[in-house]
């Protein structure tokens, strides 16, 4: 039997969600504005792409440090520091005088934004104490929902009516309000001043993840070099972590069945979710000839479906994560399949997007509940870091695979072929989801 969530925990979650919203909105707003940035800063397409790439690489470098930083300095300090750094990076980006300075300042922004989601999850999961996780996931996953919905529309309005600098200045009021609320509302905690930084692990994992993300987002010789190098460094970190008492990220967490299955689902979900987010705007713009703003509006039904998925949080608390995750993934596959047809009906696609959004969001929330529900509180920082790394790699891998499928060219069936792959990935994820726990979270470990 489940109880109502503690109002204090819900209040904390709301404060933190506001802070996490800024970087997630920022990513989608900037993606809409890349063409304008190239024109106004007199930069080539290759140079402008580094505005996004530099941000992603900064994220990849700092995410592994977040678990150690929370334990060393305390989650409240890390949250306030990360949000301040993201705010400073946003101001600097708005003041950039050329493409080079903008890329450097995006690194500052990414370094701040990269820690926010893992720290958010750590703070809320600790406060929740393993209770009502489904309901809480419905709250803390809101930024990931609102970013893709509001970002393209807001970015289009800014680019159409204001200077490109406002795509960064728009973060200022959100960050300042989030800082003020967090200063008053996030409880003080004490770190462990003696917590040792695993320097060897840092020198292996952070550049390894950066190389993997960069290699997967590049093509040709760059991908052929960076991706194997990244895989080699991450593999070396895995060997090191299993032999170290206090590694940068504790991979022994994967010995817990629920966490291991949830992580696999998060990777495959990142592949399906972010791969779909990459494909869908291109599909509407290239295959159906819509403009950028029209494409953003046509994708709104997916956001509506994600909003509807909030009701599955209590369902996850009652039934356990397995049925909700598997059911959600099957719904998502059903919602993706119509895009695999050469000439789907115009009225079918909005309905399909609602179903896809509902299924994908429900599955993601259930996977997160599975990861945290029986976890010892002292392992939560490592779990938050690990989940974020897996999600980022899944998204990068999925985007790279689908970009390669599109690049192969299949005549008019390019997108149909790619959406078939997304559907297949989602069905595989549903099969993996059968390994999740089914019982409601309790003090007992699942059998």
């Amino acid at each position: 039997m489940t109880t109502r969530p503690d109002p204090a925990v819900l209040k904390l979650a709301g404060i933190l969600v506001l802070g996490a919203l800024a970087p997630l909105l920022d990513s989608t707003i900037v993606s809409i504005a890349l063409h304008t940035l190239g024109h106004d800063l007199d930069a080539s397409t290759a140079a402008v792409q580094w505005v996004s790439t530099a941000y992603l690489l900064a994220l990849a470098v700092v995410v592994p440090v977040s678990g150690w930083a929370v334990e060393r300095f305390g989650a409240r300090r890390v949250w306030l520091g990360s949000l301040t750094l993201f705010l400073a990076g946003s101001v600097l980006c708005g003041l950039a005088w050329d493409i080079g300075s903008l890329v450097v300042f995006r690194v500052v922004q990414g370094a701040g934004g990269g820690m926010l989601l893992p720290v958010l999850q750590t703070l809320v999961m600790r406060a929740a104490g393993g209770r009502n996780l489904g309901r809480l996931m419905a709250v803390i996953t809101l930024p990931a929902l609102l970013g893709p919905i509001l970002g393209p529309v807001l970015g289009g309005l800014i680019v159409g009516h204001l200077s490109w600098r406002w795509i960064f200045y728009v973060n200022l009021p959100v960050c300042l309000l989030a800082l003020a609320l967090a200063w008053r509302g996030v409880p003080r905690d004490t770190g462990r001043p003696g917590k040792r930084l695993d320097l060897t692990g840092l020198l292996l994992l952070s550049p390894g993840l950066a190389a993997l993300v960069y290699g997967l987002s590049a093509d040709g010789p760059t991908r052929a070099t960076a991706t194997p190098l990244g895989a080699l460094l991450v593999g070396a970190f895995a060997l090191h972590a299993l032999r170290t008492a206090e590694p940068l990220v504790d991979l022994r967490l994967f010995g817990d069945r629920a966490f291991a299955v949830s992580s696999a689902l998060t990777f495959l979900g990142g592949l399906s979710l972010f791969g779909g987010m990459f494909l869908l705007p291109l599909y509407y713009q290239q295959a159906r000839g819509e403009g950028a703003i029209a494409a953003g509006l046509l994708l709104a039904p997916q956001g509506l479906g994600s909003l509807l998925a909030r009701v599955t949080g209590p369902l996850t608390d009652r039934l356990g994560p397995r049925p909700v995750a598997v059911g959600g993934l099957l719904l998502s596959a059903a919602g993706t399949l119509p895009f695999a047809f050469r000439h789907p009906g115009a009225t079918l696609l909005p309905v399909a997007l609602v179903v896809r959004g509902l299924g994908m969001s429900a599955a993601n929330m259930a996977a997160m509940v599975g990861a945290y529900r029986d976890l010892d509180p002292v392992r939560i920082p490592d779990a938050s870091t690990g989940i974020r790394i897996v999600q980022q790699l899944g998204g990068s891998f999925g985007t790279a695979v689908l970009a390669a499928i599109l690049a192969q060219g299949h005549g008019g069936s390019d997108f149909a072929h790619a959406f078939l792959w997304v559907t297949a990935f989602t069905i595989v994820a549903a099969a993996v989801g059968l390994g999740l726990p089914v019982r409601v979270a309790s003090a007992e470990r699942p059998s």
Side-chain angles (χ1 to χ4, degrees):
M1 181 176 178
T2 59
T3 58
R4 294 182 65 83
D6 184 345
V9 178
L10 285 176
K11 179 183 175 182
L12 173 64
I15 290 171
L16 298 174
V17 160
L18 179 64
L21 181 60
L24 287 166
L25 267 177
D26 180 85
S27 297
T28 50
I29 290 174
V30 170
S31 66
I32 290 291
L34 289 179
H35 177 74
T36 300
L37 288 172
H39 178 270
D40 290 359
L41 295 174
D42 193 25
S44 66
T45 301
V48 166
Q49 288 299 326
W50 274 98
V51 174
S52 293
T53 302
Y55 184 85
L56 289 174
L57 294 182
L59 252 69
V61 168
V62 302
V63 166
V65 189
S66 58
W68 169 81
V70 163
E71 294 194 66
R72 170 65 178 80
F73 301 106
R76 183 177 187 270
R77 286 181 181 176
V78 177
W79 177 262
L80 292 171
S82 299
L83 198 51
T84 301
L85 187 60
F86 181 82
L87 172 62
S90 298
V91 173
L92 290 170
C93 286
L95 297 173
W97 53 89
D98 59 17
I99 193 66
S101 61
L102 179 57
V103 168
V104 171
F105 296 147
R106 283 285 281 171
V107 171
V108 177
Q109 230 192 350
M115 288 199 186
L116 290 176
L117 283 180
V119 178
L120 180 156
Q121 291 175 358
T122 295
L123 278 164
V124 174
M125 291 302 105
R126 280 179 169 175
R131 297 179 297 274
N132 299 299
L133 297 189
R135 289 171 170 84
L136 289 172
M137 285 300 170
V139 175
I140 67 175
T141 55
L142 273 176
L145 157 67
L146 293 176
I149 299 171
L150 299 179
V153 177
L154 187 56
L157 291 174
I158 291 172
V159 169
H161 300 284
L162 298 170
S163 162
W164 63 265
R165 299 181 188 278
W166 282 96
I167 66 175
F168 301 108
Y169 291 152
V170 74
N171 295 323
L172 272 61
V174 178
C175 289
L176 289 172
L177 178 59
L179 279 168
L181 292 174
W183 184 264
R184 294 173 59 88
V186 175
R188 297 180 183 274
D189 58 343
T190 55
R192 292 166 49 195
K195 174 68 175 177
R196 182 183 65 87
L197 175 63
D198 175 18
L199 187 58
T200 301
L202 178 63
L203 294 175
L204 290 171
L205 185 56
S206 285
L209 288 175
L212 270 177
V213 170
Y214 180 51
L216 291 170
S217 65
D219 52 23
T222 302
R223 174 178 292 178
T225 303
T227 306
L229 174 62
L232 182 64
L233 289 171
V234 171
F237 169 77
L239 292 175
H240 162 78
L242 294 173
R243 299 173 180 174
T244 304
E246 291 190 322
L248 188 66
V249 180
D250 188 2
L251 299 186
R252 297 175 187 88
L253 275 168
F254 292 93
D256 180 282
R257 190 193 77 178
F259 184 82
V261 174
S262 296
S263 297
L265 266 187
T266 301
F267 179 85
L268 291 167
L271 203 153
S272 300
L273 174 64
F274 292 104
M277 285 170 58
F278 162 74
L279 277 182
L280 285 165
L282 290 177
Y283 170 77
Y284 276 110
Q285 292 177 70
Q286 295 180 13
R288 301 184 76 91
E290 304 289 351
I293 302 302
L297 293 172
L298 286 166
L299 290 174
Q302 185 170 232
L304 172 62
S306 296
L307 280 173
L308 294 174
R310 305 301 100 182
V311 303
T312 65
L315 194 64
T316 305
D317 289 331
R318 287 199 300 271
L319 303 179
R322 184 198 297 172
V324 176
V326 173
L329 287 163
L330 292 176
L331 274 178
S332 180
T336 306
L337 189 59
F339 290 88
F341 296 110
R342 290 288 299 273
H343 302 291
T347 56
L348 174 62
L349 296 186
V351 176
L353 284 174
V354 172
V355 173
R356 174 179 159 79
L358 169 62
M360 205 74 245
S361 292
N364 284 339
M365 286 189 292
M368 288 290 184
V369 172
Y372 286 103
R373 58 170 237 160
D374 291 303
L375 212 57
D376 189 318
V378 301
R379 308 183 83 182
I380 287 176
D382 276 323
S384 298
T385 302
I387 285 288
R388 182 61 181 148
I389 289 172
V390 167
Q391 187 178 52
Q392 188 175 21
L393 288 178
S396 297
F397 183 73
T399 301
V401 168
L402 294 171
I405 291 170
L406 284 182
Q408 289 176 1
H410 293 269
S413 63
D414 293 5
F415 284 100
H417 192 66
F419 280 116
L420 268 179
W421 276 98
V422 175
T423 305
F425 291 146
T426 311
I427 292 172
V428 170
V432 172
L434 292 172
L436 282 171
V438 69
R439 295 205 312 269
V440 179
S442 68
E444 276 184 22
R445 300 286 299 178
S447 59

